[in-house]
Amino acid sequence: MSKLRLTREQIAQRAALELPDGAIVNLGWGIPNLIAAYVPPEITVYFHSENGILGMGPRAAAGEEDFDLVDAMKIPVTVIPGAAFFSQVDAHVMTRGGHLDICILGGLQVSEKGDLANWRVPGAKGAGGIGGAMDISVGAQRLIVAMEHNAKDGSPKIVNTCTYPLTAVQCVNTIITDLAVIDVTPEGLLLREIAPGIAPEEVQKYTEPKLRYAGKVPEMRLSKL
Amino acid sequence: MSKLRLTREQIAQRAALELPDGAIVNLGWGIPNLIAAYVPPEITVYFHSENGILGMGPRAAAGEEDFDLVDAMKIPVTVIPGAAFFSQVDAHVMTRGGHLDICILGGLQVSEKGDLANWRVPGAKGAGGIGGAMDISVGAQRLIVAMEHNAKDGSPKIVNTCTYPLTAVQCVNTIITDLAVIDVTPEGLLLREIAPGIAPEEVQKYTEPKLRYAGKVPEMRLSKL
Amino acid sequence: MILNRKMGRKNKIYSTVDAVVADIPDGATIMFGGFGGAGFPNNLIQGLARQGARNLKVISNNCGTGDGELGILFKNHQVTRVVAAFPGPGAKHFQEQLDAGKIELELVPQGILCERMRAYGAGIPAFYSPVGVGTEVARGKEERLIRGKRYILEDALGADCAFIKAYRADRLGNLIYRKAARNFNPIMATAAKLTIVEVDEIVEVGELDPEAIVTPSIFVDRIVQAKGLRFV
Amino acid sequence: MILNRKMGRKNKIYSTVDAVVADIPDGATIMFGGFGGAGFPNNLIQGLARQGARNLKVISNNCGTGDGELGILFKNHQVTRVVAAFPGPGAKHFQEQLDAGKIELELVPQGILCERMRAYGAGIPAFYSPVGVGTEVARGKEERLIRGKRYILEDALGADCAFIKAYRADRLGNLIYRKAARNFNPIMATAAKLTIVEVDEIVEVGELDPEAIVTPSIFVDRIVQAKGLRFV
């Protein structure tokens, strides 16, 4: 594995740059959950939580938790002025109905066609749980997956065909990893940016499907804290 | 036509006696709209309006109208303590979802099987309008039709098969007219009560399908104002 | 149909009614809130009448009262198709043009009109309904037995644009309504590509109780404060 | 299943948790509100644990955290079937019995869980959904192309009883919730034959703002005021 891979925090920093000013955003489990801290200060984004919050703010300070005000990960949070509370059915009118501008989820596998598998590792113990990921994946105007490029055993997580249970088919627009930013296009995977010091050929080596790129691929930018 | 027929107000008075204490009730156009005035004082019923009110009170007094607070007939009304406002979609979750205890609608025709036609007279001018009647008819836990027993030309409105455009099939439980109270049962129409001074045979004469009755049929009771 | 937020999620407030409807194109499908004289976006409707877009497809409970509410759009011959639950006895201009064969009408049960719009907003393309089974409403629709009962298939109903009326908006677009003026407005807000709201009052962000917001800002694209205009 | 309002629409208030759950029969299908530690009817759950009904069919987002929330019902072997979106890593007792083949699990996407319950409450028997197309969730379900897109048919989901948690009830049963403790509770209230609510506080009729009531009284059958009980 390359020693030049980005950290999870750096993946989150890069992903934060994908957020347009004013966007309504849902962040999933894992690396996506780190992104809120890296939103560029010059823009405002509005966080949606599928348990019924629009306008979620930072996590609650220790000692100031209100356990009726938690995010989808059960963490006590705050709200910003202009927030609204609603039921979970209305929260998913927003997800499934295509009202969220951008959603960023974690991933176990993403296929060449943009299929996403992110809810169960085959053979893992426990019932697993779908949660809101299927509704979010299907409805997002733009779906980004933020994940490590390779599994712990080094196997590619960007694959020709997902072998893990699917979350949704042909739903992913962009993959942001510790090696690259890759867009899913009708012509295949497009290598848009690469981590500093990495060569496109190296990214290809860690990726099962063929990556398209031409000439010099720009370096991944990172958001400042 | 019998001279002993009840008035429209008296039909409403009789219909009011069908309301159980505590019932949630929707009243339609025509005679049903007169019923609210005759609810027995010893009971409480809660009026639902399909434009988004539960707990509708009497009409607003002259000079005190709030034109944002109207019933489904566009009449300025009031609300009672404990009322709630909601959207029209939620109002019809209540109708279609079977949450209303009892609904009383007007009728143009009711068939032996309880089919109801109440939204358009064939050949009448104008586009007509379905309004909320179809949703209400389908969802009511108990549907009563309050109407005159016969059309202006004397023809029966309780018929073997409706010839007017239907509102819903097999939805009516009870018919209250100026001549009788009739229940729709799996065995056919059951003459439950008759107007004072009317003989069962006379009611039958004004009714197309066969009426079932045995022995002495009780007189229609009327609610006091 | 080229209609968009123009100013994005952060700046939704227009200073005039004419500006907020200026780019509504000919042929647009538009939902209009309102029921029984309450909750009609009358200023937006008047603005659309001045703006003059034609060949409009209208989705609304009713079709105006004389020249009032939607009446002016029919009077001006701006509408060619209507989906409605109860056009209404006062819809004089609509009725004339319907009789003259100049307007196409789809009559829909009121609750199903609501439910079809909600389905669209919720990403549901179609659903089975018990309403209208065995009636004219079922004509041309698939019928299906589900657990022994008859149902018909109803399609989701969306629009290019929703014209709605609320009581108060905050500057982000969170909305509250007033009494029975709520009616169709919150549903339509979810079912159109572009939602334009006319409000009595615009308040600062944070002034509306987060527990009592009826339409969250996500569903609102353009806001204009307009003096009350009511046709009773 | 014999479950009813008992005291009618006018008198819904029970004085104890044990009384309000006393007649829940073996084999009942029960919905439980709550998500992420917020909005669980923990007092009702504890009451049901004491009452001892068995062979219960549970509909809930998750399956408890240790002994907390729904955990106690699994610990007591009171549950034989579960419909859930995210049983949860802390659902120890559930997991043990699932692994032992003593519980049947139907895993449902969270938004579809909500939507199926809403459909039941709204009189919609089934709807087409884009969620889960091409995944395990689609297994055994009808797939259909609608306007060129793939959808699967989802059934409405109802229950004999809903156990929910609200913040305040008035004496008629109108409810308001607190922040994200609203979650599944208002939906479940519409989707069960009998809805039992546990509240922090009961107020007089007229004390709740009619514009801000989230669950109108029509959906509530029994109310019990119970001291807060939270498993964090």
Side-chain angles (χ1 to χ4, degrees), chain C residues 115 118 123-126 128 130 142 144 147 155 179 182 211, chain D residues 115 118 123-126 128 130 142 144 147 155 179 182 211:
Chain C
E115 194 69 13
R118 183 199 172 273
I124 302 299
Y128 288 98
E142 174 190 317
R144 180 169 182 153
R147 296 177 283 280
D155 276 338
K179 305 186 178 180
R182 189 182 302 193
E211 301 282 7
Chain D
E115 194 68 14
R118 183 198 172 274
I124 302 299
Y128 288 98
E142 173 190 318
R144 179 168 182 154
R147 296 177 281 280
D155 276 338
K179 303 185 179 179
R182 190 184 300 193
E211 301 283 6

PDB file of all heavy atoms in Angstrom, chain C residues 115 118 123-126 128 130 142 144 147 155 179 182 211, chain D residues 115 118 123-126 128 130 142 144 147 155 179 182 211:
ATOM      1  N   GLU C 115     -53.036  13.112  -2.342  1.00  0.00           N
ATOM      2  CA  GLU C 115     -52.150  11.965  -2.180  1.00  0.00           C
ATOM      3  C   GLU C 115     -51.225  11.801  -3.383  1.00  0.00           C
ATOM      4  O   GLU C 115     -50.065  11.415  -3.235  1.00  0.00           O
ATOM      5  CB  GLU C 115     -53.003  10.699  -1.975  1.00  0.00           C
ATOM      6  CG  GLU C 115     -52.241   9.496  -1.464  1.00  0.00           C
ATOM      7  CD  GLU C 115     -51.743   9.625  -0.044  1.00  0.00           C
ATOM      8  OE1 GLU C 115     -52.168  10.539   0.693  1.00  0.00           O
ATOM      9  OE2 GLU C 115     -50.885   8.804   0.345  1.00  0.00           O
ATOM     10  N   ARG C 118     -48.542  14.367  -2.908  1.00  0.00           N
ATOM     11  CA  ARG C 118     -47.627  13.937  -1.853  1.00  0.00           C
ATOM     12  C   ARG C 118     -46.700  12.835  -2.352  1.00  0.00           C
ATOM     13  O   ARG C 118     -45.498  12.844  -2.094  1.00  0.00           O
ATOM     14  CB  ARG C 118     -48.380  13.430  -0.626  1.00  0.00           C
ATOM     15  CG  ARG C 118     -47.404  13.069   0.479  1.00  0.00           C
ATOM     16  CD  ARG C 118     -47.951  12.173   1.534  1.00  0.00           C
ATOM     17  NE  ARG C 118     -46.852  11.769   2.414  1.00  0.00           N
ATOM     18  CZ  ARG C 118     -46.073  10.716   2.185  1.00  0.00           C
ATOM     19  NH1 ARG C 118     -46.263   9.943   1.141  1.00  0.00           N
ATOM     20  NH2 ARG C 118     -45.085  10.441   3.033  1.00  0.00           N
ATOM     21  N   GLY C 123     -41.170  10.802  -3.762  1.00  0.00           N
ATOM     22  CA  GLY C 123     -40.432   9.856  -4.592  1.00  0.00           C
ATOM     23  C   GLY C 123     -41.172   8.554  -4.853  1.00  0.00           C
ATOM     24  O   GLY C 123     -40.554   7.549  -5.195  1.00  0.00           O
ATOM     25  N   ILE C 124     -42.482   8.563  -4.689  1.00  0.00           N
ATOM     26  CA  ILE C 124     -43.322   7.388  -4.944  1.00  0.00           C
ATOM     27  C   ILE C 124     -43.996   7.596  -6.296  1.00  0.00           C
ATOM     28  O   ILE C 124     -44.747   8.555  -6.457  1.00  0.00           O
ATOM     29  CB  ILE C 124     -44.409   7.255  -3.840  1.00  0.00           C
ATOM     30  CG1 ILE C 124     -43.779   7.145  -2.460  1.00  0.00           C
ATOM     31  CG2 ILE C 124     -45.347   6.086  -4.133  1.00  0.00           C
ATOM     32  CD1 ILE C 124     -42.893   5.952  -2.266  1.00  0.00           C
ATOM     33  N   PRO C 125     -43.750   6.714  -7.279  1.00  0.00           N
ATOM     34  CA  PRO C 125     -44.261   6.991  -8.629  1.00  0.00           C
ATOM     35  C   PRO C 125     -45.744   6.666  -8.806  1.00  0.00           C
ATOM     36  O   PRO C 125     -46.395   7.230  -9.680  1.00  0.00           O
ATOM     37  CB  PRO C 125     -43.417   6.065  -9.504  1.00  0.00           C
ATOM     38  CG  PRO C 125     -43.124   4.902  -8.605  1.00  0.00           C
ATOM     39  CD  PRO C 125     -42.946   5.493  -7.228  1.00  0.00           C
ATOM     40  N   ALA C 126     -46.258   5.750  -7.985  1.00  0.00           N
ATOM     41  CA  ALA C 126     -47.649   5.311  -8.147  1.00  0.00           C
ATOM     42  C   ALA C 126     -48.060   4.521  -6.917  1.00  0.00           C
ATOM     43  O   ALA C 126     -47.218   3.949  -6.227  1.00  0.00           O
ATOM     44  CB  ALA C 126     -47.783   4.442  -9.399  1.00  0.00           C
ATOM     45  N   TYR C 128     -51.665   2.234  -5.066  1.00  0.00           N
ATOM     46  CA  TYR C 128     -53.015   1.704  -5.194  1.00  0.00           C
ATOM     47  C   TYR C 128     -53.948   2.440  -4.243  1.00  0.00           C
ATOM     48  O   TYR C 128     -53.562   2.796  -3.134  1.00  0.00           O
ATOM     49  CB  TYR C 128     -53.021   0.196  -4.937  1.00  0.00           C
ATOM     50  CG  TYR C 128     -52.369  -0.549  -6.086  1.00  0.00           C
ATOM     51  CD1 TYR C 128     -51.039  -0.960  -6.025  1.00  0.00           C
ATOM     52  CD2 TYR C 128     -53.073  -0.777  -7.259  1.00  0.00           C
ATOM     53  CE1 TYR C 128     -50.433  -1.592  -7.099  1.00  0.00           C
ATOM     54  CE2 TYR C 128     -52.476  -1.414  -8.344  1.00  0.00           C
ATOM     55  CZ  TYR C 128     -51.167  -1.817  -8.259  1.00  0.00           C
ATOM     56  OH  TYR C 128     -50.579  -2.431  -9.327  1.00  0.00           O
ATOM     57  N   PRO C 130     -58.171   2.894  -2.847  1.00  0.00           N
ATOM     58  CA  PRO C 130     -59.540   2.359  -2.786  1.00  0.00           C
ATOM     59  C   PRO C 130     -60.569   3.358  -3.313  1.00  0.00           C
ATOM     60  O   PRO C 130     -61.728   3.001  -3.509  1.00  0.00           O
ATOM     61  CB  PRO C 130     -59.750   2.141  -1.282  1.00  0.00           C
ATOM     62  CG  PRO C 130     -58.913   3.219  -0.638  1.00  0.00           C
ATOM     63  CD  PRO C 130     -57.709   3.400  -1.542  1.00  0.00           C
ATOM     64  N   GLU C 142     -55.621   0.780 -14.070  1.00  0.00           N
ATOM     65  CA  GLU C 142     -55.455  -0.625 -13.700  1.00  0.00           C
ATOM     66  C   GLU C 142     -56.201  -0.901 -12.403  1.00  0.00           C
ATOM     67  O   GLU C 142     -56.086  -0.166 -11.436  1.00  0.00           O
ATOM     68  CB  GLU C 142     -53.956  -0.896 -13.495  1.00  0.00           C
ATOM     69  CG  GLU C 142     -53.666  -2.295 -12.972  1.00  0.00           C
ATOM     70  CD  GLU C 142     -52.219  -2.433 -12.546  1.00  0.00           C
ATOM     71  OE1 GLU C 142     -51.326  -1.958 -13.264  1.00  0.00           O
ATOM     72  OE2 GLU C 142     -51.984  -3.015 -11.469  1.00  0.00           O
ATOM     73  N   ARG C 144     -56.830  -3.788  -9.348  1.00  0.00           N
ATOM     74  CA  ARG C 144     -56.107  -4.924  -8.789  1.00  0.00           C
ATOM     75  C   ARG C 144     -56.730  -5.322  -7.459  1.00  0.00           C
ATOM     76  O   ARG C 144     -57.101  -4.462  -6.660  1.00  0.00           O
ATOM     77  CB  ARG C 144     -54.656  -4.494  -8.570  1.00  0.00           C
ATOM     78  CG  ARG C 144     -53.762  -5.571  -7.987  1.00  0.00           C
ATOM     79  CD  ARG C 144     -52.319  -5.087  -8.092  1.00  0.00           C
ATOM     80  NE  ARG C 144     -51.387  -6.053  -7.603  1.00  0.00           N
ATOM     81  CZ  ARG C 144     -50.132  -6.142  -8.031  1.00  0.00           C
ATOM     82  NH1 ARG C 144     -49.677  -5.310  -8.958  1.00  0.00           N
ATOM     83  NH2 ARG C 144     -49.310  -7.026  -7.529  1.00  0.00           N
ATOM     84  N   ARG C 147     -55.269  -8.342  -1.105  1.00  0.00           N
ATOM     85  CA  ARG C 147     -55.861  -8.934   0.097  1.00  0.00           C
ATOM     86  C   ARG C 147     -57.390  -8.921   0.022  1.00  0.00           C
ATOM     87  O   ARG C 147     -58.079  -8.555   0.980  1.00  0.00           O
ATOM     88  CB  ARG C 147     -55.331  -8.212   1.343  1.00  0.00           C
ATOM     89  CG  ARG C 147     -53.805  -8.401   1.536  1.00  0.00           C
ATOM     90  CD  ARG C 147     -53.214  -7.660   2.714  1.00  0.00           C
ATOM     91  NE  ARG C 147     -53.010  -6.242   2.518  1.00  0.00           N
ATOM     92  CZ  ARG C 147     -51.984  -5.687   1.863  1.00  0.00           C
ATOM     93  NH1 ARG C 147     -51.034  -6.453   1.359  1.00  0.00           N
ATOM     94  NH2 ARG C 147     -51.888  -4.375   1.741  1.00  0.00           N
ATOM     95  N   ASP C 155     -51.285   7.485 -10.331  1.00  0.00           N
ATOM     96  CA  ASP C 155     -49.939   8.006 -10.576  1.00  0.00           C
ATOM     97  C   ASP C 155     -49.631   9.216  -9.705  1.00  0.00           C
ATOM     98  O   ASP C 155     -50.517  10.013  -9.405  1.00  0.00           O
ATOM     99  CB  ASP C 155     -49.823   8.480 -12.038  1.00  0.00           C
ATOM    100  CG  ASP C 155     -49.489   7.335 -12.970  1.00  0.00           C
ATOM    101  OD1 ASP C 155     -48.959   6.324 -12.483  1.00  0.00           O
ATOM    102  OD2 ASP C 155     -49.777   7.449 -14.169  1.00  0.00           O
ATOM    103  N   LYS C 179     -54.601  28.768  10.213  1.00  0.00           N
ATOM    104  CA  LYS C 179     -55.869  28.040  10.287  1.00  0.00           C
ATOM    105  C   LYS C 179     -56.126  27.195   9.020  1.00  0.00           C
ATOM    106  O   LYS C 179     -55.232  26.496   8.558  1.00  0.00           O
ATOM    107  CB  LYS C 179     -57.006  29.028  10.584  1.00  0.00           C
ATOM    108  CG  LYS C 179     -56.697  29.835  11.863  1.00  0.00           C
ATOM    109  CD  LYS C 179     -57.796  30.726  12.312  1.00  0.00           C
ATOM    110  CE  LYS C 179     -57.363  31.423  13.607  1.00  0.00           C
ATOM    111  NZ  LYS C 179     -58.375  32.316  14.136  1.00  0.00           N
ATOM    112  N   ARG C 182     -54.125  26.662   5.444  1.00  0.00           N
ATOM    113  CA  ARG C 182     -53.023  25.731   5.201  1.00  0.00           C
ATOM    114  C   ARG C 182     -53.378  24.846   3.997  1.00  0.00           C
ATOM    115  O   ARG C 182     -52.609  24.740   3.057  1.00  0.00           O
ATOM    116  CB  ARG C 182     -52.789  24.873   6.457  1.00  0.00           C
ATOM    117  CG  ARG C 182     -51.539  24.040   6.379  1.00  0.00           C
ATOM    118  CD  ARG C 182     -51.314  23.145   7.608  1.00  0.00           C
ATOM    119  NE  ARG C 182     -51.223  23.815   8.902  1.00  0.00           N
ATOM    120  CZ  ARG C 182     -50.797  23.226  10.008  1.00  0.00           C
ATOM    121  NH1 ARG C 182     -50.402  21.958   9.978  1.00  0.00           N
ATOM    122  NH2 ARG C 182     -50.760  23.871  11.157  1.00  0.00           N
ATOM    123  N   GLU C 211     -40.337  23.630  16.266  1.00  0.00           N
ATOM    124  CA  GLU C 211     -41.314  22.556  16.492  1.00  0.00           C
ATOM    125  C   GLU C 211     -42.606  22.797  15.720  1.00  0.00           C
ATOM    126  O   GLU C 211     -43.418  21.892  15.565  1.00  0.00           O
ATOM    127  CB  GLU C 211     -41.694  22.471  17.984  1.00  0.00           C
ATOM    128  CG  GLU C 211     -40.557  22.212  18.931  1.00  0.00           C
ATOM    129  CD  GLU C 211     -40.116  20.751  18.957  1.00  0.00           C
ATOM    130  OE1 GLU C 211     -40.612  19.951  18.144  1.00  0.00           O
ATOM    131  OE2 GLU C 211     -39.262  20.419  19.805  1.00  0.00           O
TER     132      GLU C 211
ATOM    133  N   GLU D 115     -42.744   4.824   5.336  1.00  0.00           N
ATOM    134  CA  GLU D 115     -43.729   5.016   4.269  1.00  0.00           C
ATOM    135  C   GLU D 115     -44.784   3.908   4.275  1.00  0.00           C
ATOM    136  O   GLU D 115     -45.955   4.171   3.997  1.00  0.00           O
ATOM    137  CB  GLU D 115     -42.991   5.059   2.923  1.00  0.00           C
ATOM    138  CG  GLU D 115     -43.809   5.574   1.769  1.00  0.00           C
ATOM    139  CD  GLU D 115     -44.160   7.058   1.844  1.00  0.00           C
ATOM    140  OE1 GLU D 115     -43.560   7.796   2.649  1.00  0.00           O
ATOM    141  OE2 GLU D 115     -45.059   7.466   1.102  1.00  0.00           O
ATOM    142  N   ARG D 118     -47.117   4.820   7.064  1.00  0.00           N
ATOM    143  CA  ARG D 118     -47.959   5.942   6.660  1.00  0.00           C
ATOM    144  C   ARG D 118     -49.047   5.489   5.692  1.00  0.00           C
ATOM    145  O   ARG D 118     -50.209   5.889   5.793  1.00  0.00           O
ATOM    146  CB  ARG D 118     -47.136   7.051   6.002  1.00  0.00           C
ATOM    147  CG  ARG D 118     -48.023   8.230   5.659  1.00  0.00           C
ATOM    148  CD  ARG D 118     -47.460   9.187   4.668  1.00  0.00           C
ATOM    149  NE  ARG D 118     -48.492  10.141   4.322  1.00  0.00           N
ATOM    150  CZ  ARG D 118     -49.403   9.949   3.362  1.00  0.00           C
ATOM    151  NH1 ARG D 118     -49.411   8.844   2.654  1.00  0.00           N
ATOM    152  NH2 ARG D 118     -50.326  10.862   3.135  1.00  0.00           N
ATOM    153  N   GLY D 123     -54.857   4.580   4.321  1.00  0.00           N
ATOM    154  CA  GLY D 123     -55.770   3.773   3.520  1.00  0.00           C
ATOM    155  C   GLY D 123     -55.217   3.367   2.171  1.00  0.00           C
ATOM    156  O   GLY D 123     -55.962   3.039   1.257  1.00  0.00           O
ATOM    157  N   ILE D 124     -53.902   3.391   2.041  1.00  0.00           N
ATOM    158  CA  ILE D 124     -53.227   2.987   0.804  1.00  0.00           C
ATOM    159  C   ILE D 124     -52.676   1.582   1.032  1.00  0.00           C
ATOM    160  O   ILE D 124     -51.841   1.394   1.913  1.00  0.00           O
ATOM    161  CB  ILE D 124     -52.062   3.959   0.487  1.00  0.00           C
ATOM    162  CG1 ILE D 124     -52.555   5.387   0.363  1.00  0.00           C
ATOM    163  CG2 ILE D 124     -51.290   3.506  -0.766  1.00  0.00           C
ATOM    164  CD1 ILE D 124     -53.552   5.630  -0.730  1.00  0.00           C
ATOM    165  N   PRO D 125     -53.118   0.576   0.253  1.00  0.00           N
ATOM    166  CA  PRO D 125     -52.715  -0.804   0.559  1.00  0.00           C
ATOM    167  C   PRO D 125     -51.309  -1.147   0.090  1.00  0.00           C
ATOM    168  O   PRO D 125     -50.692  -2.065   0.628  1.00  0.00           O
ATOM    169  CB  PRO D 125     -53.731  -1.637  -0.218  1.00  0.00           C
ATOM    170  CG  PRO D 125     -54.067  -0.768  -1.396  1.00  0.00           C
ATOM    171  CD  PRO D 125     -54.053   0.650  -0.877  1.00  0.00           C
ATOM    172  N   ALA D 126     -50.804  -0.439  -0.922  1.00  0.00           N
ATOM    173  CA  ALA D 126     -49.498  -0.779  -1.489  1.00  0.00           C
ATOM    174  C   ALA D 126     -49.048   0.357  -2.395  1.00  0.00           C
ATOM    175  O   ALA D 126     -49.881   1.105  -2.915  1.00  0.00           O
ATOM    176  CB  ALA D 126     -49.591  -2.079  -2.285  1.00  0.00           C
ATOM    177  N   TYR D 128     -45.566   1.689  -5.160  1.00  0.00           N
ATOM    178  CA  TYR D 128     -44.295   1.377  -5.820  1.00  0.00           C
ATOM    179  C   TYR D 128     -43.200   2.253  -5.239  1.00  0.00           C
ATOM    180  O   TYR D 128     -43.419   3.426  -4.922  1.00  0.00           O
ATOM    181  CB  TYR D 128     -44.426   1.557  -7.329  1.00  0.00           C
ATOM    182  CG  TYR D 128     -45.259   0.453  -7.921  1.00  0.00           C
ATOM    183  CD1 TYR D 128     -46.615   0.640  -8.190  1.00  0.00           C
ATOM    184  CD2 TYR D 128     -44.707  -0.807  -8.143  1.00  0.00           C
ATOM    185  CE1 TYR D 128     -47.394  -0.402  -8.700  1.00  0.00           C
ATOM    186  CE2 TYR D 128     -45.477  -1.848  -8.649  1.00  0.00           C
ATOM    187  CZ  TYR D 128     -46.818  -1.637  -8.922  1.00  0.00           C
ATOM    188  OH  TYR D 128     -47.584  -2.674  -9.410  1.00  0.00           O
ATOM    189  N   PRO D 130     -38.811   3.215  -5.310  1.00  0.00           N
ATOM    190  CA  PRO D 130     -37.512   3.097  -5.973  1.00  0.00           C
ATOM    191  C   PRO D 130     -36.438   2.513  -5.047  1.00  0.00           C
ATOM    192  O   PRO D 130     -35.342   2.187  -5.508  1.00  0.00           O
ATOM    193  CB  PRO D 130     -37.169   4.551  -6.306  1.00  0.00           C
ATOM    194  CG  PRO D 130     -37.813   5.348  -5.202  1.00  0.00           C
ATOM    195  CD  PRO D 130     -39.081   4.600  -4.845  1.00  0.00           C
ATOM    196  N   GLU D 142     -42.712  -7.769  -6.420  1.00  0.00           N
ATOM    197  CA  GLU D 142     -42.988  -7.449  -7.812  1.00  0.00           C
ATOM    198  C   GLU D 142     -42.148  -6.260  -8.249  1.00  0.00           C
ATOM    199  O   GLU D 142     -42.075  -5.254  -7.557  1.00  0.00           O
ATOM    200  CB  GLU D 142     -44.473  -7.102  -7.952  1.00  0.00           C
ATOM    201  CG  GLU D 142     -44.841  -6.592  -9.334  1.00  0.00           C
ATOM    202  CD  GLU D 142     -46.265  -6.035  -9.356  1.00  0.00           C
ATOM    203  OE1 GLU D 142     -47.152  -6.653  -8.757  1.00  0.00           O
ATOM    204  OE2 GLU D 142     -46.461  -4.965  -9.967  1.00  0.00           O
ATOM    205  N   ARG D 144     -41.515  -3.437 -11.386  1.00  0.00           N
ATOM    206  CA  ARG D 144     -42.304  -2.874 -12.479  1.00  0.00           C
ATOM    207  C   ARG D 144     -41.604  -1.636 -13.022  1.00  0.00           C
ATOM    208  O   ARG D 144     -41.067  -0.838 -12.257  1.00  0.00           O
ATOM    209  CB  ARG D 144     -43.672  -2.485 -11.922  1.00  0.00           C
ATOM    210  CG  ARG D 144     -44.610  -1.867 -12.924  1.00  0.00           C
ATOM    211  CD  ARG D 144     -45.994  -1.822 -12.304  1.00  0.00           C
ATOM    212  NE  ARG D 144     -46.970  -1.284 -13.203  1.00  0.00           N
ATOM    213  CZ  ARG D 144     -48.266  -1.575 -13.141  1.00  0.00           C
ATOM    214  NH1 ARG D 144     -48.712  -2.407 -12.215  1.00  0.00           N
ATOM    215  NH2 ARG D 144     -49.132  -1.043 -13.972  1.00  0.00           N
ATOM    216  N   ARG D 147     -42.730   4.669 -16.286  1.00  0.00           N
ATOM    217  CA  ARG D 147     -42.092   5.766 -17.013  1.00  0.00           C
ATOM    218  C   ARG D 147     -40.573   5.527 -17.149  1.00  0.00           C
ATOM    219  O   ARG D 147     -39.754   6.415 -16.911  1.00  0.00           O
ATOM    220  CB  ARG D 147     -42.396   7.107 -16.331  1.00  0.00           C
ATOM    221  CG  ARG D 147     -43.907   7.446 -16.357  1.00  0.00           C
ATOM    222  CD  ARG D 147     -44.279   8.717 -15.638  1.00  0.00           C
ATOM    223  NE  ARG D 147     -44.350   8.604 -14.194  1.00  0.00           N
ATOM    224  CZ  ARG D 147     -45.374   8.103 -13.505  1.00  0.00           C
ATOM    225  NH1 ARG D 147     -46.457   7.681 -14.130  1.00  0.00           N
ATOM    226  NH2 ARG D 147     -45.353   8.032 -12.190  1.00  0.00           N
ATOM    227  N   ASP D 155     -45.891  -3.230   0.455  1.00  0.00           N
ATOM    228  CA  ASP D 155     -47.193  -3.302   1.118  1.00  0.00           C
ATOM    229  C   ASP D 155     -47.283  -2.333   2.291  1.00  0.00           C
ATOM    230  O   ASP D 155     -46.293  -2.092   2.984  1.00  0.00           O
ATOM    231  CB  ASP D 155     -47.407  -4.712   1.683  1.00  0.00           C
ATOM    232  CG  ASP D 155     -47.948  -5.662   0.639  1.00  0.00           C
ATOM    233  OD1 ASP D 155     -48.541  -5.190  -0.348  1.00  0.00           O
ATOM    234  OD2 ASP D 155     -47.774  -6.881   0.824  1.00  0.00           O
ATOM    235  N   LYS D 179     -38.233  17.982  19.874  1.00  0.00           N
ATOM    236  CA  LYS D 179     -37.041  17.877  19.025  1.00  0.00           C
ATOM    237  C   LYS D 179     -37.009  16.546  18.252  1.00  0.00           C
ATOM    238  O   LYS D 179     -38.004  16.162  17.662  1.00  0.00           O
ATOM    239  CB  LYS D 179     -35.795  18.094  19.894  1.00  0.00           C
ATOM    240  CG  LYS D 179     -35.867  19.459  20.615  1.00  0.00           C
ATOM    241  CD  LYS D 179     -34.639  19.818  21.392  1.00  0.00           C
ATOM    242  CE  LYS D 179     -34.848  21.209  22.025  1.00  0.00           C
ATOM    243  NZ  LYS D 179     -33.697  21.633  22.819  1.00  0.00           N
ATOM    244  N   ARG D 182     -39.414  13.184  18.154  1.00  0.00           N
ATOM    245  CA  ARG D 182     -40.629  13.005  17.358  1.00  0.00           C
ATOM    246  C   ARG D 182     -40.502  11.726  16.521  1.00  0.00           C
ATOM    247  O   ARG D 182     -41.374  10.877  16.551  1.00  0.00           O
ATOM    248  CB  ARG D 182     -40.821  14.236  16.456  1.00  0.00           C
ATOM    249  CG  ARG D 182     -42.169  14.263  15.780  1.00  0.00           C
ATOM    250  CD  ARG D 182     -42.345  15.442  14.805  1.00  0.00           C
ATOM    251  NE  ARG D 182     -42.212  16.765  15.401  1.00  0.00           N
ATOM    252  CZ  ARG D 182     -42.574  17.897  14.783  1.00  0.00           C
ATOM    253  NH1 ARG D 182     -43.124  17.828  13.570  1.00  0.00           N
ATOM    254  NH2 ARG D 182     -42.389  19.077  15.358  1.00  0.00           N
ATOM    255  N   GLU D 211     -52.280  25.251  15.839  1.00  0.00           N
ATOM    256  CA  GLU D 211     -51.403  25.322  14.661  1.00  0.00           C
ATOM    257  C   GLU D 211     -50.184  24.416  14.822  1.00  0.00           C
ATOM    258  O   GLU D 211     -49.482  24.157  13.848  1.00  0.00           O
ATOM    259  CB  GLU D 211     -50.881  26.752  14.456  1.00  0.00           C
ATOM    260  CG  GLU D 211     -51.944  27.805  14.253  1.00  0.00           C
ATOM    261  CD  GLU D 211     -52.534  27.801  12.851  1.00  0.00           C
ATOM    262  OE1 GLU D 211     -52.203  26.909  12.055  1.00  0.00           O
ATOM    263  OE2 GLU D 211     -53.349  28.704  12.575  1.00  0.00           O
TER     264      GLU D 211
END
